[in-house]
């Protein structure tokens, strides 16, 4: 027994008070009258003052005493300490996609092992968690039937990942005693304290491991035979609604990578490539759309005829670039004054006069110029009187700023204080790559329809959708401009909602291409769980004595006491009136 609140004994002082109240009676007031019948109409009064009389046995007295005792019992908060031997079990389940090949039966195997442990120990504390910490806990409790259902509902679909964080968290949950189980299809190097329950076995698998396509509709896909024997497999090309327009055979040696080539079916923007079904389903189908880049209108100004023709030839090689008389989205031009800079992204060159410099060039670590070689390029430099607001140098030669950059809400602006009509500069690989990167960067901020393919579980952003109302299908929306592709293959689409108007802004395909997860040559079966090695934890559990029930009884006593008192007062009044 344990008293959480010894001060509750103070409530026993209410019992003498109750006895005193029941013994206390007011003195009667004497009055002389000529006859007794006059008492019927005369009000009975009592003289001021009280006297103690002999305690009378009454129902109200015992109700009050019992209520005082019950109140004391509740205030003491009496608890019973009970010793229990508890087995702590923490299970880390491999959430990698490869486990899918064995999971329907693997979930039952794991449930059966947990049931055996529960039979040996009366009390268990069971926690089942994923090897990916960003996933919710699979189960926490002590009921094996509920754990079995939770395991059946779990769907492993992640790409290869580090088990370390999940293992460290699992170790912290069992302290020094308990059992830590890792359920997987491959052996992991995770420590000697882990009991492995491996549910895999070597199986034959052929799957897609890569895909590329261009805007013309030409595509190529990589297929790998993960087994140690030659195989002949059938593959098909199709469209949504008809996945087998054409079927052909592919011969692959053991461990060989094969390449498929072709074009999208005529008049179709979507395509499905399929392989024969095997035990591992994720890499058997490949969903793809014909890539379509965002369109961007580029305007050039200030070039002489020869160099402008050279520039247009370079820009025509960039996908999605167009030249129209309408308002441009990207500028490549010469400015006479820094005041001409607006907010439009582009590459801006300053007016002369120019002075040739031949010092070494130093580049800052900025993505737009990362890896570009500017050495050996003659710069005809015009000085910049002062750095405009928001700009910072990214390319320097000695004390001279060769290129400055700032970010606007529509993209980046590059300020180049050198001659844009220098043909050697214009045709240099560094400048061509810079123009390509700057235009692709500006596309991210432009709201335009486009199509693209991604691997499963990839994240991407479209800054043009920031702050807008977007509806997604087949994607996980992390924000209005940040998205993540699902862990399973398929098609997806993005729609922009503007009032009652719903406009498609993007569609794409998601395909699985994790070659490591598709290799089952090292998969194995193993069970390290030994019931004889189990260590239990002794815990002391406090049990209350139906506190809520006794509180309810106390409330009933109080109300019943009021009822008895009211009945007693009514009886006294009726006797006085007779």
């Amino acid at each position: 027994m344990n008293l959480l609140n010894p001060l509750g004994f103070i409530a026993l002082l209410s019992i003498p008070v109750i006895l005193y109240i029941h013994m206390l009676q007011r003195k009667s007031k004497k009055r002389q009258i000529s006859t007794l019948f006059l008492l019927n109409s005369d009000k009975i009064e009592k003289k001021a003052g009280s006297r103690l009389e002999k305690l009378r046995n009454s129902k109200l007295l015992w109700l009050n005493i019992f209520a005082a005792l019950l109140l004391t019992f509740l205030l003491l908060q009496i608890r019973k300490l009970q010793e229990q031997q508890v087995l702590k079990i923490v299970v880390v389940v491999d959430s990698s996609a490869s486990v899918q090949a064995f999971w329907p039966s693997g979930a039952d195997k794991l449930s059966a092992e947990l049931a055996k442990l529960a039979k040996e120990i009366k009390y268990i504390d069971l926690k089942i968690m994923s090897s990916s910490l960003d996933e919710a806990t699979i189960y926490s409790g002590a009921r094996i039937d509920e754990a079995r259902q939770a395991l059946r509902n779990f769907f492993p679909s992640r790409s290869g990942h580090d088990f370390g964080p999940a293992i460290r968290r699992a170790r912290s949950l069992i302290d020094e005693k308990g059992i830590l189980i890792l359920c997987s299809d491959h052996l992991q190097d995770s420590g000697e304290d882990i009991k492995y329950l491996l549910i895999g076995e070597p199986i034959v698998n052929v799957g897609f491991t890569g895909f590329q396509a261009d805007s013309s509709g030409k595509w190529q896909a990589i297929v790998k035979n993960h087994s140690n024997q030659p195989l002949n497999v059938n593959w098909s090309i199709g469209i949504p609604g008809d996945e087998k327009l054409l079927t052909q055979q592919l011969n692959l040696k053991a461990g060989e990578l094969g390449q498929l080539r072709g074009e999208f079916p005529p008049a179709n923007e979507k395509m499905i490539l399929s392989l024969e079904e095997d035990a591992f389903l994720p890499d058997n189908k490949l969903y793809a759309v014909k890539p379509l880049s965002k369109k961007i209108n580029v305007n050039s100004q200030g070039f002489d005829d020869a160099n402008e023709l050279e520039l247009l030839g370079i820009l025509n090689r960039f996908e999605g670039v167009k030249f129209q008389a309408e308002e441009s989205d990207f500028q490549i031009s010469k400015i006479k004054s820094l005041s001409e800079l607006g907010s439009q992204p582009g590459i801006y060159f300053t007016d002369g006069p120019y002075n040739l410099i031949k010092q070494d060039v130093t580049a800052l670590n900025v993505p737009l110029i990362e890896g570009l070689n500017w050495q050996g390029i003659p710069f005809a430099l015009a000085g910049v009187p002062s750095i405009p607001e928001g700009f910072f140098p990214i390319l320097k030669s000695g004390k001279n700023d060769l290129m400055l950059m700032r970010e606007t809400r529509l993209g980046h602006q590059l300020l180049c204080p050198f001659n844009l009509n220098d043909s050697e500069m214009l045709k240099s690989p560094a400048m061509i790559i810079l123009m390509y990167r700057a235009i692709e960067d500006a596309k991210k901020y432009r709201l335009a329809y486009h199509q693209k393919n991604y691997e499963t579980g990839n994240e991407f952003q479209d800054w043009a959708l920031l702050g807008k109302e977007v509806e997604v299908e087949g994607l996980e929306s992390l924000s209005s401009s940040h998205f993540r592709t699902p862990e399973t293959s398929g098609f997806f689409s993005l729609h922009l909602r503007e009032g009652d108007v719903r406009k498609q802004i993007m569609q794409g395909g998601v395909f699985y291409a994790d070659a490591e997860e598709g290799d089952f040559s090292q998969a194995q079966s193993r069970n390290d769980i030994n019931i004889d090695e189990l260590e239990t934890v002794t815990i002391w559990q406090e049990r209350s004595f139906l506190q809520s029930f006794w509180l309810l009884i106390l409330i009933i006593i109080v109300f019943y006491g009021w009822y008895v008192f009211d009945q007693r007062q009514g009886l006294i009044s009726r006797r006085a009136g007779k």
Side-chain angles (χ1 to χ4, degrees), residues 269-533:
E269 298 291 315
K270 296 181 178 180
M271 175 185 72
I272 302 175
L273 297 178
S274 306
L275 294 170
E276 293 179 1
E277 284 197 3
D278 50 30
F280 187 57
L281 300 179
D283 61 0
N284 289 342
K285 285 189 178 182
L286 191 151
Y287 295 80
V289 297
K290 186 186 295 185
L292 179 63
S293 177
K294 288 183 178 181
K295 301 296 182 184
I296 188 168
N297 189 27
V298 177
N299 182 37
S300 61
Q301 293 179 356
F303 291 86
D304 56 33
D305 292 341
N307 284 317
E308 184 164 15
L309 188 62
E310 183 72 31
L311 175 66
L312 294 179
I314 294 171
L315 296 180
N316 271 323
R317 300 179 222 164
F318 301 163
E319 188 177 354
V321 172
K322 58 181 181 177
F323 310 95
Q324 296 180 358
E326 61 189 48
E327 184 179 353
S328 66
D329 305 306
F330 191 88
Q331 286 279 347
I332 302 179
S333 60
K334 180 195 290 186
I335 56 174
K336 295 183 179 180
S337 170
L338 296 179
S339 61
E340 298 179 29
L341 287 170
S343 60
Q344 192 174 72
I347 304 176
Y348 296 90
F349 299 84
T350 58
D351 203 0
Y354 304 104
N355 296 314
L356 192 65
I357 61 169
K358 296 183 179 180
Q359 292 178 313
D360 289 340
V361 177
T362 303
L364 273 69
N365 187 20
V366 176
L368 283 178
I369 60 172
E370 184 180 3
L372 302 184
N373 183 15
W374 300 93
Q375 305 298 335
I377 302 175
F379 284 90
L381 190 65
V384 179
S386 62
I387 297 179
E389 182 181 359
F391 279 93
F392 60 92
I394 61 174
L395 198 66
K396 296 178 71 70
S397 178
K399 295 183 178 180
N400 298 306
D401 295 329
L402 300 182
M403 191 177 299
L404 300 100
M405 184 179 76
R406 77 174 175 185
E407 187 174 353
T408 71
R409 60 182 180 84
L410 299 176
H412 290 91
Q413 289 180 333
L414 296 174
L415 182 60
C416 305
F418 50 82
N419 188 5
L420 81 167
N421 279 308
D422 185 343
S423 60
E424 188 174 351
M425 167 67 71
L426 186 62
K427 292 186 289 186
S428 66
M431 180 56 69
I432 293 174
I433 296 174
L434 174 64
M435 288 189 290
Y436 173 78
R437 289 179 179 177
I439 291 174
E440 288 299 312
D441 180 73
K443 288 180 181 179
K444 297 177 183 177
Y445 299 86
R446 173 166 164 70
L447 188 62
Y449 177 80
H450 59 293
Q451 299 177 174
K452 197 170 182 179
N453 298 302
Y454 294 93
E455 291 188 26
T456 55
N458 274 13
E459 294 184 14
F460 66 92
Q461 287 186 305
D462 190 338
W463 293 109
L465 298 175
L466 184 64
K468 300 186 180 298
E469 185 179 354
V470 181
E471 298 176 357
V472 300
E473 296 176 3
L475 277 179
E476 180 184 358
S477 179
L478 304 178
S479 71
S480 62
S481 62
H482 190 189
F483 310 95
R484 180 162 52 210
T485 59
E487 300 293 341
T488 54
S489 303
F491 294 109
F492 71 86
S493 63
L494 291 174
H495 291 83
L496 183 63
R497 173 72 69 176
E498 295 178 337
D500 296 332
V501 179
R502 186 173 183 264
K503 177 184 177 182
Q504 188 176 56
I505 200 69
M506 181 186 183
Q507 65 175 344
V510 179
F511 60 91
Y512 188 87
D514 193 333
E516 184 177 349
E517 291 298 306
D519 185 0
F520 294 91
S521 60
Q522 301 300 316
Q524 57 181 288
S525 178
R526 174 174 165 179
N527 187 353
D528 293 342
I529 302 174
N530 188 349
I531 296 178
D532 297 331
E533 298 177 356

Side-chain angles (χ1 to χ4, degrees), residues 227-297:
S227 66
N228 56 4
Q229 60 189 33
L231 294 172
N232 299 325
V233 296
N234 293 326
W235 68 275
S236 303
I237 182 172
I239 57 176
D242 188 358
E243 296 186 4
K244 293 188 177 182
L245 293 175
L246 176 67
T247 300
Q248 295 184 349
Q249 192 174 76
L250 177 66
N251 301 322
L252 294 172
K253 298 177 182 178
E256 182 184 3
L257 288 171
Q259 191 174 77
L260 304 177
R261 296 176 181 268
E263 296 185 5
F264 276 73
N268 281 279
E269 298 291 315
K270 296 181 178 180
M271 175 185 72
I272 302 175
L273 297 178
S274 306
L275 294 170
E276 293 179 1
E277 284 197 3
D278 50 30
F280 187 57
L281 300 179
D283 61 0
N284 289 342
K285 285 189 178 182
L286 191 151
Y287 295 80
V289 297
K290 186 186 295 185
L292 179 63
S293 177
K294 288 183 178 181
K295 301 296 182 184
I296 188 168
N297 189 27

Side-chain angles (χ1 to χ4, degrees), residues 24 64 80 86 95 118 120 122 215 218 252 259 325 334 336 351-352 380 392 452-453 471 537:
L24 192 63
N64 290 339
K80 179 183 179 182
V86 178
S95 61
E120 294 296 320
K122 184 177 180 180
S215 57
K218 295 181 180 180
L252 294 172
Q259 191 174 77
K334 180 195 290 186
K336 295 183 179 180
D351 203 0
F392 60 92
K452 197 170 182 179
N453 298 302
E471 298 176 357
V537 177

